[in-house]
Amino acid sequence: MATWVTGNLVQVKHWTTSLFSLIVHAPVDPFIAGQFTKLGLEINGEKVQRAYSYVNAPRNEKLEFYLSTVTEGKLSPSLQTLQPGESLMVTKEAVGCFILSEIPPCNNLWMLATGTALGPYLSILEQGEGLERFNNIVLVHAVKFAQNLSYLPQMLHLQLRYKGKLRVQTVVSREQAPGSLTGRIPLLIADGSLESAVDLLLDAANSHVMLCGNPQMVRDTQKILKDSRGMQKHFKRKPGHMTSEHYW
C-alpha cells in the first residue's frame, strides 16, 4: 500500500497549451534517477492518481514533473490548473527499474524518448552518477511539433557539460525544424538516418537502448532493432540490448 504525503506546488511552467511542468516541495523518500512516483488529487470525493517520472536529479529537493494534458483525462486537466501554494498528493516512495544499475555493460548507451517521457533521462543525466562506464551516450527526444521541445535548452546545456560524451538529437514528426530529424524514431533507425545524424553505430555488439514513451514507438522500435540489428529485450536473468519503461 503506497504511503501518500502532501506536496506544496511551488511553480507551474506552461510550455504550450497542453504541455506543462510542476515544481513541487514534498517530504518524499530518496529515489534513484530514472524512477517514478504518483501524483494525486481529490476530485469529486475520489482520489485520482497517475504515475509520473521525476525530471529532477535526486539531489535536487525541488521535485519536477513533465506532463501533457489529456483533454478527457481525469487528472491532468486539474493538475494543469493548479496554482502555486496549492497542494497535491505525492507517493512517498518512488518505484521503477528504469535506472542505470539495471543496464548491462556496453560502450554506447542510447536514450530514446517521445513527448513527456524525456523526464527520466534528464534526471539520470543531471544526477550524473554511473555514466562513466559508457563511452558514448545518445539522447533522442521525439515530438510532433518543434514547439514541444520544452527542455531543449537543458538538453543542450547537458551536451556541453559532458564535453563530447553526450550527443543530443531531436526528432519532429509533423514538420521540418532546423537541427531536428523529420519522422518517427523506428523509421529513422531503419533507414540509418539516426545513426548518421549522431555519427554513431547502433549495433548489438556495442550498444544498449533505453526506450521510454508512446507504447507504439516502443513496440515498433523493439521490432526494428530485433529484426535488423539482432537485439533482444533485456531481463535480469537473460541480458539483452533493450530496456523499456512501462507505466503508461
Side-chain angles (χ1 to χ4, degrees), residues 9 12-24 39-40 50-53 55 64-70 75-80 82 88 115-117 119 150-151:
L9 183 61
V12 184
K13 300 177 183 178
H14 294 283
W15 305 106
T16 69
T17 56
S18 60
L19 288 172
F20 63 102
S21 295
L22 301 178
I23 311 297
V24 179
L39 303 181
R50 294 290 184 270
Y52 297 102
S53 287
V55 175
E64 185 164 355
F65 305 95
Y66 185 32
L67 296 80
S68 174
T69 301
V70 179
L75 182 60
S76 58
S78 296
L79 288 174
Q80 188 179 24
L82 288 177
L88 67 163
T116 57
S150 312
Y151 285 87

Side-chain angles (χ1 to χ4, degrees), residues 100 106-107 109 124-125 127-137 162 165:
L100 289 184
C106 66
N107 291 323
L109 179 63
I124 290 169
L125 291 167
Q127 186 71 0
E129 296 176 355
L131 295 173
E132 61 280 348
R133 63 191 180 98
F134 308 110
N135 294 329
N136 300 289
I137 304 168
Y162 284 99
K165 183 171 187 169

Side-chain angles (χ1 to χ4, degrees), residues 6 56 75 77-78 136 222 228:
T6 299
N56 61 290
L75 182 60
S78 296
N136 300 289
Q222 287 173 335
S228 66

Side-chain angles (χ1 to χ4, degrees), residues 142-146 148 171-177 181-184:
V143 297
K144 293 178 180 179
F145 302 101
N148 298 338
V171 176
V172 179
S173 64
R174 298 191 181 180
E175 64 182 4
Q176 293 189 344
L181 294 174
T182 306
R184 295 182 63 244

Side-chain angles (χ1 to χ4, degrees), residues 34-243:
Q35 290 189 310
F36 64 90
T37 187
K38 289 183 179 180
L39 303 181
L41 289 173
E42 289 283 348
I43 301 175
N44 297 324
E46 174 190 2
K47 180 190 289 183
V48 182
Q49 56 184 283
R50 294 290 184 270
Y52 297 102
S53 287
Y54 284 108
V55 175
N56 61 290
R59 65 165 64 93
N60 189 343
E61 293 182 356
K62 291 183 178 179
L63 310 179
E64 185 164 355
F65 305 95
Y66 185 32
L67 296 80
S68 174
T69 301
V70 179
T71 305
E72 302 301 324
K74 288 187 175 182
L75 182 60
S76 58
S78 296
L79 288 174
Q80 188 179 24
T81 60
L82 288 177
Q83 299 297 316
E86 294 189 287
S87 62
L88 67 163
M89 295 177 288
V90 186
T91 49
K92 189 175 178 63
E93 308 87 3
V95 293
C97 297
F98 201 64
I99 56 179
L100 289 184
S101 61
E102 296 290 330
I103 304 300
C106 66
N107 291 323
N108 306 323
L109 179 63
W110 295 71
M111 300 174 161
L112 310 185
T114 57
T116 57
L118 177 69
Y121 300 133
L122 294 179
S123 180
I124 290 169
L125 291 167
E126 285 290 352
Q127 186 71 0
E129 296 176 355
L131 295 173
E132 61 280 348
R133 63 191 180 98
F134 308 110
N135 294 329
N136 300 289
I137 304 168
V138 180
L139 175 61
V140 178
H141 187 206
V143 297
K144 293 178 180 179
F145 302 101
Q147 68 172 355
N148 298 338
L149 294 169
S150 312
Y151 285 87
L152 182 56
Q154 183 174 344
M155 293 164 64
L156 295 178
H157 177 76
L158 285 165
Q159 185 171 243
L160 290 174
R161 170 180 155 186
Y162 284 99
K163 300 176 181 178
K165 183 171 187 169
L166 173 65
R167 309 176 194 200
V168 168
Q169 181 60 55
T170 54
V171 176
V172 179
S173 64
R174 298 191 181 180
E175 64 182 4
Q176 293 189 344
S180 295
L181 294 174
T182 306
R184 295 182 63 244
I185 288 177
L187 298 180
L188 294 170
I189 291 174
D191 67 12
S193 298
L194 180 57
E195 291 160 288
S196 178
V198 300
D199 193 25
L200 192 66
L201 189 64
L202 205 176
D203 62 343
N206 296 288
S207 306
H208 192 92
V209 181
M210 299 178 75
L211 295 157
C212 192
N214 183 285
Q216 192 63 55
M217 181 279 288
V218 173
R219 288 191 294 267
D220 291 348
T221 302
Q222 287 173 335
K223 186 176 189 310
I224 288 291
L225 292 175
K226 179 181 178 181
D227 293 347
S228 66
R229 313 299 167 94
M231 292 183 161
Q232 302 295 325
K233 292 182 182 179
H234 174 68
F235 301 98
K236 277 188 176 181
R237 296 183 180 180
K238 188 179 180 182
H241 317 92
M242 299 180 287
T243 298

